[in-house]
Amino acid sequence: QVQLVESGGGSVQAGGSLRLSCSVSGYTYTNYYMAWFRQAPGKEREGLALLFPGGGFTEYADSVKARFTCSQDNAKNTLYLQMNSLKPEDTAIYYCAAASKYGLARLLFPEGFATWGQGTQVTVSS
């Protein structure tokens, strides 16, 4: 069973950078979609980056495409989200999530992801 633990959140000024980590256990990277989502107060959960099984392709939401980069280190069983040029509207709780490659994994459909981390808070001040 896949288990996910996020870390790396914090407070940063606008224009700054943060790198989030998601430690993964019980995971065979060729069998799962991995993704980053976020949820701001009063808003729906938003998909940010979707890493396809095997890591050969990553899809990004338009809102973060030019600023965020998702990667994985298979040797460390860790998924990363490098966030640059942060804006106050990026303030949210950030989650990593996993979905079986046989399921429905889409950035617009968080219900398709069966496993979630506990989340890490990112706060961007102006």
Side-chain angles (χ1 to χ4, degrees), residues 38-46 89-93 95:
R38 68 185 178 189
Q39 189 163 20
K43 294 189 177 181
E44 293 185 351
R45 195 160 292 192
E46 178 188 11
E89 51 263 42
D90 293 319
T91 296
I93 299 175
Y95 301 89

Side-chain angles (χ1 to χ4, degrees), residues 28-61:
T28 302
Y29 76 99
T30 56
N31 291 335
Y32 287 89
Y33 289 88
M34 300 298 297
W36 287 97
F37 288 82
R38 68 185 178 189
Q39 189 163 20
K43 294 189 177 181
E44 293 185 351
R45 195 160 292 192
E46 178 188 11
L48 305 175
L50 176 64
L51 187 66
F52 280 57
F57 181 75
T58 305
E59 176 186 346
Y60 293 94

Side-chain angles (χ1 to χ4, degrees), residues 57-108:
F57 181 75
T58 305
E59 176 186 346
Y60 293 94
D62 288 343
S63 60
V64 303
K65 187 177 297 183
R67 301 183 295 125
F68 292 8
T69 303
C70 177
S71 62
Q72 65 180 19
D73 185 331
N74 295 322
K76 296 182 178 179
N77 293 325
T78 303
L79 184 73
Y80 300 102
L81 185 69
Q82 177 67 43
M83 306 186 296
N84 299 327
S85 302
L86 284 162
K87 306 174 183 180
E89 51 263 42
D90 293 319
T91 296
I93 299 175
Y94 284 69
Y95 301 89
C96 61
S100 168
K101 68 177 183 179
Y102 302 109
L104 180 62
R106 299 289 185 272
L107 290 179
L108 295 178

